[in-house]
Amino acid sequence: MTIITRDNFETCSNALQATALDATSLAASSLPPDLAFHRSMDQSLAHDLDSLSTRVLELTNRIIRLSNKDNAANFGRLEDEEDVVDEFSRNVVDAMEGMLERTDSALDEFLGRKKAPAIQVPDTLPDSRRKNEPKKRVLPRGRLDPTITHASHLPKPQLKFRYLHPNTDESPYIPAALIAHKWCAKVPLGYIFEDNFSRSEQSIQNEEDGEAEKKKRTLHPYYYELMHPAYPDHIFDPPSNPVRPSSLEGLSKTTSPSRPFTFVANSKDFLSFANTLTSVTELAVDLEHHSYRSYRGFLALMQVSTRQEDFIIDLLVPDIREGLRQRKGKPPAKSEDEKMANDAGEIVARIFADPTVVKVFHGADSDIVWLQQDFNIFVVGLFDTFHASKLLELSKHSLANLLETYCEFVPDKRYQLADWRIRPLPVEMLAYAQSDTHFLLYIYDRLRLALVEKATSQFASDSSPDSMPTATGSGTDPYTFIRSVLARSARTSLRLYEVEAYDALGGSGSGGWDTLARKWNKVALTASGGLDYNSNNGNGITSVSVAVYRAIHRWREDVAREEDESTRYVLPTHHLFLMAERPPSSSSDLVSLFDRAGGGIGAVPPVLRRRTGELVDAVKSAIDSVAVTLKQSTEPEVAETATGGVSADVSSTVPSSRNNEIVSTDIESRLWSIPASSPCSVTSRSILFSSTQAKASAFHQAIAYTAAHSTSTLMPNATDRFRGIAERIHRTLVIAPVVSVPTTIAKVCFTSNTSRPLNVTLHEMGKPTSTPCEPAGQIEIPFVPEHQRQSRSSVHPYAPIEDDTIVVVGQAGARQRKRKRERNKGTISQTRSDSAAVGGDREAEVEAFDYSSVPNLLDGGDKKERTSEENDRKKKKPRQSKVSRPPMQANIRAGPRDQREVKSGNKTHTFK
């Protein structure tokens, strides 16, 4: 067996390829096409073919397994001819392509063509360490106990706080007026110092809005120190081989963590913790905040880790909380515990403001604001690992991803939203809190090494220094990315706590009604989507849903401030939108919105259950205000005519059914307005089809609400009111026939001395007028009841015929027979006359027909008796002679009598 080496590799490769090619050519050219026939005739040939095929398949399977040793499970085994034909592409071609790709990659790396990655992220441990290290912990699944996420039975700890910012106080946050001393200051407290920033700082400043930057420069007490940082040298000197901290195994109740932590819950331990911080230069800090049972929220826990020890500080202890709070006019300590807490609080505040002590946070945007809100503590010298992960372009930027990448620790993120007011804290929650800072300094070292490696490799691959994004302008600086992280962290430290005022009019702000509607994609409830803009005056009128939504949102905000609860605890947001769509009219209606399967009324929030009447009253007031506003805005409007600008009150006039005069009605009773093609160019203001459609819709929605629930003050006597509306609707019923009138003479206009619209008839429309008007279209003819109609002869014998286009529906054959019968009687005469003006056209004059004598379809009266003439016209159908047919059972013999007669009881003794 020849051993393949570097010297004879080419010779062996050529010999192997030549042998394989010769064998393939021989098999393709020498074997007969009817090999199956010869195989069946010669048993020895069949045996030789089977053994040779088995050997070739075994060699092929071995080559596939050897070439894809790490991924052999993805390739099947070739057993017979069908496997070779069907699975050749997947098992052979894909395997060879993968082997050749890995060969090319190995050759490129061996020849120096392939460079190592700039950031070395360990994906797996070496075999030697994997044996000693414990197995990777599997993330537990399932929901936590509801008592851990929302411990509703706990009393509010903020009731024991010595100071709590009033929820109703919306005055701006001015730190210079609150803190008594500025630690590690380069510029005195309250003094605004401006100078020319460096180019890098100026470029960072331009990213912010001008007004926001001016506000920070004016209000932030450490603005100058943060924009002119003085970082220690050790921040740019990461250890080449960082020491990984001990693992955490304290995630069960039966075990304790391998590295114990110190739980600080009294003034003495708090002072000892503060003295420990005076001797360190690096800190890892994290905070736990609670906001569900408080309007503004408060800090409940602080985790701090040094290189040697972990601390968890209980911020719900009144002495510790008051000691951390920095403020002017702080009263002197009354006891030894208070004095120790105040001294410890000053030490912690000074260390957080000291730029020589690096404070390592991850995602410190909220932490910076919470420290200012609760304790007036400001952070200088921040290193945010979130910005470092962004610059390194990692796949994910969460703390859990960093812990899993660098420390192979998977935190249980279910406790991230736990109720941190629980005392004593469970072991699982303490272990989770410790893990947030336990590995953070080690991650800080690894990230700094990666930043230096990235800057070095990027400079080595590109000789042009201008192509390198730096924070200092120097392309050769290996710490340029560390400086970029520090600059971004300084911008994070410049964040200021802002007391948000409630904007009831515009709904702006993070908690405003407009912001909430946009966040939930409720376009109809936003500031722009819930307004109807009138084309006349441009005033915005809110709809009923928007008014109810704003009223409920304002009620929720006021109650949350009053009871010091979060708005979502008072009323969940999804129920807020549900009430806006279905306004409750009573407490029972409101409670029914919270019904759920198996839950009953238990889903109603406790605060809302006690104050349902207040919310229902707020909804009613909002609907009533919208109804009043819309009623005032839909008063009769004045429209101008197309001729002389004379105005006429058309929006409040409808035809009368009794005296053919135009009478005035309320606008909400209008159903149809004057058609657009009416003889006059009058702007229509119909509440159904005009520009006021949205206002009318909102008005009728409010009226429907008040009518359905009988609680509105607008309509004290709803029955009489609706009866009057029904009568006006009946009087406004008109027939709108299509009358073909010449457009040259059918014109109607208003004269200058007219105080009301003219009652124009068809006879008067035939007269020409000299005043130019718009062409006429469909004319509205008032509906006249049957008992008020007059025959044509009683009005005027020569009055023109008014065709009301009443169509009598009947049979076409009967109509033709009627005309033929009347023609025979001589009732219709044909008159012919020559007319020279029209070129000799002949017209047939038909006898005028009195339409008043014809029953109207809208009458609906009693049926009239048929006249003798109509009885004569009715032909009787000839009676057809019936042909006698034998009955069906004529030839069938009748059954026995006892089977043909109706039986009563058992007279025939059929049943025994």
mmCIF file of all heavy atoms in Angstrom, residues 440-458:
data_model
loop_
_atom_site.group_PDB
_atom_site.id
_atom_site.type_symbol
_atom_site.label_atom_id
_atom_site.label_comp_id
_atom_site.label_asym_id
_atom_site.label_seq_id
_atom_site.Cartn_x
_atom_site.Cartn_y
_atom_site.Cartn_z
ATOM 1 N N LEU A 440 -20.309 41.437 34.740
ATOM 2 C CA LEU A 440 -20.271 42.630 33.892
ATOM 3 C C LEU A 440 -18.862 43.201 33.749
ATOM 4 O O LEU A 440 -18.487 43.682 32.665
ATOM 5 C CB LEU A 440 -21.227 43.691 34.458
ATOM 6 C CG LEU A 440 -21.618 44.814 33.499
ATOM 7 C CD1 LEU A 440 -22.181 44.271 32.209
ATOM 8 C CD2 LEU A 440 -22.637 45.739 34.166
ATOM 9 N N LEU A 441 -18.051 43.157 34.785
ATOM 10 C CA LEU A 441 -16.682 43.656 34.674
ATOM 11 C C LEU A 441 -15.838 42.760 33.770
ATOM 12 O O LEU A 441 -14.946 43.242 33.054
ATOM 13 C CB LEU A 441 -16.049 43.769 36.064
ATOM 14 C CG LEU A 441 -16.603 44.880 36.963
ATOM 15 C CD1 LEU A 441 -15.919 44.850 38.328
ATOM 16 C CD2 LEU A 441 -16.410 46.247 36.308
ATOM 17 N N TYR A 442 -16.086 41.466 33.795
ATOM 18 C CA TYR A 442 -15.373 40.565 32.888
ATOM 19 C C TYR A 442 -15.775 40.849 31.437
ATOM 20 O O TYR A 442 -14.928 40.863 30.529
ATOM 21 C CB TYR A 442 -15.679 39.119 33.265
ATOM 22 C CG TYR A 442 -15.133 38.090 32.305
ATOM 23 C CD1 TYR A 442 -13.769 37.811 32.251
ATOM 24 C CD2 TYR A 442 -15.988 37.400 31.444
ATOM 25 C CE1 TYR A 442 -13.272 36.858 31.377
ATOM 26 C CE2 TYR A 442 -15.501 36.450 30.563
ATOM 27 C CZ TYR A 442 -14.141 36.190 30.533
ATOM 28 O OH TYR A 442 -13.640 35.255 29.652
ATOM 29 N N ILE A 443 -17.059 41.077 31.204
ATOM 30 C CA ILE A 443 -17.517 41.443 29.860
ATOM 31 C C ILE A 443 -16.915 42.774 29.438
ATOM 32 O O ILE A 443 -16.543 42.975 28.271
ATOM 33 C CB ILE A 443 -19.062 41.487 29.837
ATOM 34 C CG1 ILE A 443 -19.628 40.085 30.071
ATOM 35 C CG2 ILE A 443 -19.577 42.072 28.538
ATOM 36 C CD1 ILE A 443 -21.135 40.042 30.192
ATOM 37 N N TYR A 444 -16.786 43.691 30.385
ATOM 38 C CA TYR A 444 -16.148 44.992 30.125
ATOM 39 C C TYR A 444 -14.705 44.812 29.641
ATOM 40 O O TYR A 444 -14.261 45.471 28.684
ATOM 41 C CB TYR A 444 -16.242 45.814 31.411
ATOM 42 C CG TYR A 444 -15.294 46.974 31.537
ATOM 43 C CD1 TYR A 444 -15.428 48.114 30.751
ATOM 44 C CD2 TYR A 444 -14.282 46.952 32.499
ATOM 45 C CE1 TYR A 444 -14.559 49.181 30.901
ATOM 46 C CE2 TYR A 444 -13.427 48.013 32.651
ATOM 47 C CZ TYR A 444 -13.555 49.131 31.856
ATOM 48 O OH TYR A 444 -12.700 50.194 32.004
ATOM 49 N N ASP A 445 -13.960 43.901 30.248
ATOM 50 C CA ASP A 445 -12.588 43.632 29.796
ATOM 51 C C ASP A 445 -12.569 43.004 28.407
ATOM 52 O O ASP A 445 -11.763 43.395 27.542
ATOM 53 C CB ASP A 445 -11.886 42.709 30.799
ATOM 54 C CG ASP A 445 -11.714 43.353 32.162
ATOM 55 O OD1 ASP A 445 -11.725 44.604 32.223
ATOM 56 O OD2 ASP A 445 -11.575 42.611 33.163
ATOM 57 N N ARG A 446 -13.441 42.031 28.171
ATOM 58 C CA ARG A 446 -13.449 41.376 26.868
ATOM 59 C C ARG A 446 -13.857 42.327 25.752
ATOM 60 O O ARG A 446 -13.318 42.271 24.636
ATOM 61 C CB ARG A 446 -14.402 40.172 26.912
ATOM 62 C CG ARG A 446 -13.983 39.058 27.863
ATOM 63 C CD ARG A 446 -12.668 38.420 27.411
ATOM 64 N NE ARG A 446 -12.798 37.863 26.074
ATOM 65 C CZ ARG A 446 -13.180 36.607 25.826
ATOM 66 N NH1 ARG A 446 -13.466 35.793 26.842
ATOM 67 N NH2 ARG A 446 -13.260 36.169 24.592
ATOM 68 N N LEU A 447 -14.787 43.200 26.025
ATOM 69 C CA LEU A 447 -15.206 44.170 25.009
ATOM 70 C C LEU A 447 -14.104 45.167 24.700
ATOM 71 O O LEU A 447 -13.901 45.553 23.534
ATOM 72 C CB LEU A 447 -16.471 44.896 25.469
ATOM 73 C CG LEU A 447 -17.759 44.064 25.526
ATOM 74 C CD1 LEU A 447 -18.908 44.889 26.098
ATOM 75 C CD2 LEU A 447 -18.140 43.557 24.144
ATOM 76 N N ARG A 448 -13.374 45.612 25.708
ATOM 77 C CA ARG A 448 -12.267 46.538 25.438
ATOM 78 C C ARG A 448 -11.183 45.871 24.602
ATOM 79 O O ARG A 448 -10.621 46.498 23.680
ATOM 80 C CB ARG A 448 -11.688 47.040 26.765
ATOM 81 C CG ARG A 448 -12.556 48.065 27.472
ATOM 82 C CD ARG A 448 -11.838 48.631 28.683
ATOM 83 N NE ARG A 448 -11.563 47.593 29.676
ATOM 84 C CZ ARG A 448 -10.666 47.700 30.651
ATOM 85 N NH1 ARG A 448 -9.941 48.801 30.772
ATOM 86 N NH2 ARG A 448 -10.493 46.718 31.516
ATOM 87 N N LEU A 449 -10.885 44.604 24.884
ATOM 88 C CA LEU A 449 -9.918 43.880 24.055
ATOM 89 C C LEU A 449 -10.401 43.770 22.610
ATOM 90 O O LEU A 449 -9.616 43.958 21.662
ATOM 91 C CB LEU A 449 -9.678 42.485 24.631
ATOM 92 C CG LEU A 449 -8.765 42.390 25.859
ATOM 93 C CD1 LEU A 449 -8.739 40.958 26.378
ATOM 94 C CD2 LEU A 449 -7.357 42.866 25.527
ATOM 95 N N ALA A 450 -11.666 43.479 22.443
ATOM 96 C CA ALA A 450 -12.210 43.369 21.084
ATOM 97 C C ALA A 450 -12.180 44.711 20.364
ATOM 98 O O ALA A 450 -11.916 44.770 19.156
ATOM 99 C CB ALA A 450 -13.630 42.829 21.149
ATOM 100 N N LEU A 451 -12.414 45.791 21.085
ATOM 101 C CA LEU A 451 -12.366 47.120 20.464
ATOM 102 C C LEU A 451 -10.950 47.474 20.024
ATOM 103 O O LEU A 451 -10.746 48.054 18.948
ATOM 104 C CB LEU A 451 -12.912 48.169 21.437
ATOM 105 C CG LEU A 451 -14.416 48.098 21.748
ATOM 106 C CD1 LEU A 451 -14.750 49.040 22.900
ATOM 107 C CD2 LEU A 451 -15.241 48.434 20.516
ATOM 108 N N VAL A 452 -9.987 47.138 20.853
ATOM 109 C CA VAL A 452 -8.588 47.399 20.474
ATOM 110 C C VAL A 452 -8.186 46.541 19.279
ATOM 111 O O VAL A 452 -7.525 47.013 18.337
ATOM 112 C CB VAL A 452 -7.668 47.154 21.684
ATOM 113 C CG1 VAL A 452 -6.200 47.254 21.263
ATOM 114 C CG2 VAL A 452 -7.954 48.160 22.793
ATOM 115 N N GLU A 453 -8.561 45.256 19.287
ATOM 116 C CA GLU A 453 -8.236 44.376 18.167
ATOM 117 C C GLU A 453 -8.891 44.857 16.875
ATOM 118 O O GLU A 453 -8.292 44.799 15.797
ATOM 119 C CB GLU A 453 -8.683 42.946 18.494
ATOM 120 C CG GLU A 453 -7.868 42.289 19.606
ATOM 121 C CD GLU A 453 -8.371 40.896 19.918
ATOM 122 O OE1 GLU A 453 -9.304 40.440 19.201
ATOM 123 O OE2 GLU A 453 -7.867 40.279 20.865
ATOM 124 N N LYS A 454 -10.108 45.351 16.974
ATOM 125 C CA LYS A 454 -10.778 45.832 15.767
ATOM 126 C C LYS A 454 -10.084 47.071 15.208
ATOM 127 O O LYS A 454 -9.888 47.189 13.992
ATOM 128 C CB LYS A 454 -12.240 46.154 16.084
ATOM 129 C CG LYS A 454 -13.019 46.642 14.875
ATOM 130 C CD LYS A 454 -14.475 46.893 15.212
ATOM 131 C CE LYS A 454 -15.217 47.365 13.972
ATOM 132 N NZ LYS A 454 -16.658 47.617 14.244
ATOM 133 N N ALA A 455 -9.708 47.987 16.079
ATOM 134 C CA ALA A 455 -9.015 49.182 15.607
ATOM 135 C C ALA A 455 -7.661 48.826 15.008
ATOM 136 O O ALA A 455 -7.259 49.370 13.971
ATOM 137 C CB ALA A 455 -8.856 50.175 16.758
ATOM 138 N N THR A 456 -6.932 47.902 15.635
ATOM 139 C CA THR A 456 -5.612 47.513 15.122
ATOM 140 C C THR A 456 -5.718 46.810 13.780
ATOM 141 O O THR A 456 -4.981 47.109 12.835
ATOM 142 C CB THR A 456 -4.913 46.609 16.136
ATOM 143 O OG1 THR A 456 -4.858 47.271 17.405
ATOM 144 C CG2 THR A 456 -3.503 46.276 15.683
ATOM 145 N N SER A 457 -6.635 45.846 13.670
ATOM 146 C CA SER A 457 -6.780 45.115 12.412
ATOM 147 C C SER A 457 -7.305 46.012 11.297
ATOM 148 O O SER A 457 -6.908 45.875 10.139
ATOM 149 C CB SER A 457 -7.717 43.930 12.612
ATOM 150 O OG SER A 457 -9.001 44.379 13.010
ATOM 151 N N GLN A 458 -8.167 46.948 11.642
ATOM 152 C CA GLN A 458 -8.693 47.846 10.609
ATOM 153 C C GLN A 458 -7.612 48.787 10.106
ATOM 154 O O GLN A 458 -7.532 49.086 8.921
ATOM 155 C CB GLN A 458 -9.874 48.645 11.153
ATOM 156 C CG GLN A 458 -10.567 49.502 10.111
ATOM 157 C CD GLN A 458 -11.870 50.070 10.613
ATOM 158 O OE1 GLN A 458 -12.380 49.648 11.641
ATOM 159 N NE2 GLN A 458 -12.410 51.023 9.886
#
